[in-house]
Amino acid sequence: MKAKVKVTLKNGVLDPQGKAIEGALGSLGFSGVNSVRQGKFFEVDLDETDKAKAQSILKQMCEKLIANTVIENYEIELA
Amino acid sequence: MKSAVLLFPGINRDSDMLMALEKTTGKKPQVVWHTNTTLPDVDLVVVPGGFSYGDYLRCGAIAARSPIMADVMAKALKGLKVLAICNGFQIVTEAGLLPGALVRNAQMKFVCREVRLRVENNQTFFTNKMAQGSVVSCPVAHGEGNYIADNETLKRLEGEGRVVFRYVEGTNPNGAMNDIAGICNEARNVIGMMPHPENMVEALHGKQDCLPLFESLLAA
């Protein structure tokens, strides 16, 4: 079973990389960019075929390694 | 004082730390490879600086989950002294031994320079030879040393005297909240800091401001 995991910075956590991208977009002439936040995207291929079990395994993976829940949120999407 | 220095792939400040520890404690520290599952019988474990696993995923994230860390965590909870420098600080926060997180420097630049550190708590195993409020010079070299924590955690750290080192006003190199350079856990046996005191202990380093920090280890 394939899963997509999206990890984003929590609101209020400073994102200097997003700020730099925002600035560069401005330099390229894209006006009206209010803000850019950078995140991470993971594709995980699992042996598990049961959706609920896969969800639970992925949640543990996110909590233990893929995301740092002090500063990041995560979203799991199963194919 | 018996000590051990942990070694992960990509760590590069281990030699400097070994020299500083041997110089001040008179004993050669043991080097412990990350795949080991048990620490040797020591009084202090140092998690040195560098770029473990090339900073993949997040700085320190992979090293924090390596085999040796389970024993470090278990023994730290029982009072083993842990000193975590720079990437080591990132590793122990990722492991949950210290609260908060270290994120990209606010100005996005890697900083490699000397800063001024104020000793905010001289009742720890690494600061007991320093006067409260005294200031030392110390080098920093990092791209992700911007300490952040939620308001409640910050309040606790400040209220419980757990901010051990603070960048002197105007020298904060990374945007860290409350100018925090180093903190300790509740039991005060785990200290994490971004600056590199091991690089300010020899005449050749230009200054020896950080010698008393290492000498504190002997009294602790």
Side-chain angles (χ1 to χ4, degrees):
Chain A
M1 181 170 281
K2 287 191 174 152
K4 292 173 178 172
V5 179
K6 201 167 78 181
V7 175
T8 50
L9 283 174
K10 284 185 176 171
N11 279 341
V13 174
L14 189 71
D15 177 16
Q17 296 181 97
K19 278 268 170 242
I21 295 163
E22 189 184 312
L25 287 173
S27 311
L28 285 170
F30 292 103
S31 57
V33 178
N34 294 322
S35 86
V36 177
R37 303 277 286 168
Q38 182 178 313
K40 291 173 192 161
F41 175 72
F42 303 81
E43 286 178 330
V44 188
D45 193 351
L46 294 173
D47 279 343
E48 185 57 61
T49 49
D50 182 277
K51 222 170 176 175
K53 282 184 189 157
Q55 179 78 26
S56 147
I57 294 166
L58 285 158
K59 187 169 189 289
Q60 289 178 51
M61 289 176 174
C62 286
E63 294 282 337
K64 286 189 171 172
L65 179 63
I66 295 174
N68 178 344
T69 54
V70 174
I71 48 170
E72 293 168 329
N73 292 321
Y74 61 87
E75 278 174 44
I76 299 163
E77 190 192 312
L78 284 164
Chain B
M1 223 278 312
K2 288 179 288 184
S3 60
V5 174
L6 300 188
L7 198 52
F8 303 90
I11 287 291
N12 61 7
R13 298 296 188 113
D14 48 307
S15 311
D16 298 7
M17 182 52 76
L18 291 170
M19 282 179 67
L21 285 171
E22 188 173 354
K23 177 189 170 87
T24 46
T25 68
K27 275 191 194 144
K28 228 185 175 78
Q30 299 189 55
V31 176
V32 180
W33 186 238
H34 66 112
T35 54
N36 288 15
T37 51
T38 319
L39 287 169
D41 177 29
V42 290
D43 309 299
L44 168 77
V45 167
V46 177
V47 194
F51 299 87
S52 58
Y53 292 91
D55 287 344
Y56 288 179
L57 188 62
R58 298 175 305 274
C59 300
I62 311 281
R65 280 84 182 172
S66 54
I68 192 63
M69 285 306 289
D71 201 37
V72 172
M73 304 277 285
K75 286 179 176 150
L77 291 176
K78 287 184 191 151
L80 174 69
K81 294 183 191 84
V82 179
L83 176 63
I85 307 289
C86 199
N87 190 210
F89 188 13
Q90 296 164 337
I91 292 169
V92 300
T93 51
E94 276 283 344
L97 271 179
L98 289 174
L102 294 142
V103 299
R104 190 64 59 108
N105 293 348
Q107 76 285 24
M108 284 180 299
K109 284 185 184 142
F110 188 97
V111 284
C112 183
R113 61 174 146 98
E114 201 175 299
V115 295
R116 306 276 288 157
L117 290 184
R118 187 182 302 111
V119 175
E120 296 280 329
N121 180 347
N122 72 342
Q123 305 292 307
T124 76
F125 69 87
F126 200 49
T127 54
N128 61 62
K129 283 273 163 50
M130 303 290 301
Q132 180 76 10
S134 56
V135 172
V136 292
S137 288
C138 192
V140 290
H142 59 250
E144 313 211 357
N146 183 352
Y147 183 80
I148 66 165
D150 57 54
N151 284 337
E152 199 185 316
T153 305
L154 270 186
K155 231 171 151 176
R156 275 196 68 184
L157 288 174
E158 295 287 357
E160 294 170 5
R162 287 165 55 192
V163 176
V164 181
F165 298 103
R166 213 186 294 273
Y167 303 111
V168 169
E169 208 169 292
T171 69
N172 182 338
N174 51 37
M177 285 179 165
N178 294 17
D179 295 328
I180 288 173
I183 57 170
C184 64
N185 64 343
E186 213 174 340
R188 286 160 171 61
N189 64 308
V190 179
I191 295 179
M193 62 190 292
M194 284 315 295
H196 286 282
E198 74 277 18
N199 291 135
M200 202 136 271
V201 294
E202 300 275 353
L204 276 172
H205 290 157
K207 289 174 192 166
Q208 294 177 294
D209 280 35
C210 297
L211 256 185
L213 297 175
F214 284 90
E215 286 162 359
S216 300
L217 295 172
L218 295 169

